[in-house]
Structure formats: structure tokens, C-alpha cells
Amino acid sequence: MRLHSAVAAAAGALMLVLAVPGSASAAVGQFRYSYKTADGYDAVGFINNPESGRCIDIRGAGSDGTSASYAPKNLTDSTATVFLEAGCTGAAFYSLRPGAGASERLLVRSVVFS
């Protein structure tokens, strides 16, 4: 009887472990953006398989304090919300559905994926 109870308890514990969600999920794919280097050259940056639900300040964007990245392309399987301000703050934001891109007029400094 005790062995039966121990097996049942172990099975229940295993089911609980399997039911608990794993670590943070990620958007699968690549997020691309363009920016100007400090020397004034056009460059392309990218983020591979970005973590979902976490604000990402875009590398290269605003590194000189004035310019932002532009022309984002969301080649992931999640919606990307891009912000003009760093830290995913401010009233200026735009959502890009999976597979969508935007023109060079859309300026971005941070992004978060759903």
C-alpha cells in the first residue's frame, strides 16, 4: 500500500513539473532595422529570436544622442511593437505584425515582442 502511494505521489509531482511553464519564450525569427553609423554610413542591424515580453533597446539607435534606427522589418512569428523612445516608453509607438516591414520614415529606438 505504501509503495502504491509513493508511486502515485511521484506521478503527481511529475505531472506538476510538466504543467509549469518553462522559462521565457522567444519570438522565432529575425527583427531587422537600418541605422546610420557615427561616420554617416548606412548599416543594418538585427536581433535573432528575441525574448518575448522584454523591452529591447535597439543597438546602434541613438548612440550619438540624436539619430534613431529606421525601416524596421519584423521577420519573426510574433507581433513587434516599436517605440520612438528607448525603454519602450512614450506615446509614439507602432505595431508590426509577423512578416511586416515599415518605411524609412518609421523611427525606432526600442522594441518589445508579444
Side-chain angles (χ1 to χ4, degrees):
M1 188 69 150
R2 286 184 183 212
L3 180 60
H4 186 281
S5 296
V7 170
L14 178 62
M15 295 297 282
L16 252 171
V17 168
L18 294 176
V20 173
S23 60
S25 62
V28 176
Q30 189 176 74
F31 180 79
R32 295 182 189 175
Y33 54 92
S34 298
Y35 65 98
K36 295 271 187 199
T37 66
D39 296 326
Y41 295 105
D42 290 322
V44 175
F46 58 89
I47 304 167
N48 289 320
N49 302 320
E51 185 178 332
S52 297
R54 183 177 69 88
C55 179
I56 301 169
D57 285 335
I58 296 176
R59 186 176 162 198
S63 57
D64 63 0
T66 58
S67 64
S69 294
Y70 55 91
K73 292 176 182 56
N74 181 17
L75 305 177
T76 72
D77 63 352
S78 297
T79 298
T81 303
V82 295
F83 293 82
L84 178 58
E85 300 299 325
C88 298
T89 61
F93 64 90
Y94 187 81
S95 292
L96 292 168
R97 68 182 187 284
S103 75
E104 293 182 355
R105 295 183 346 196
L106 182 61
L107 304 177
V108 298
R109 287 193 172 92
S110 58
V111 61
V112 64
F113 295 85
S114 60

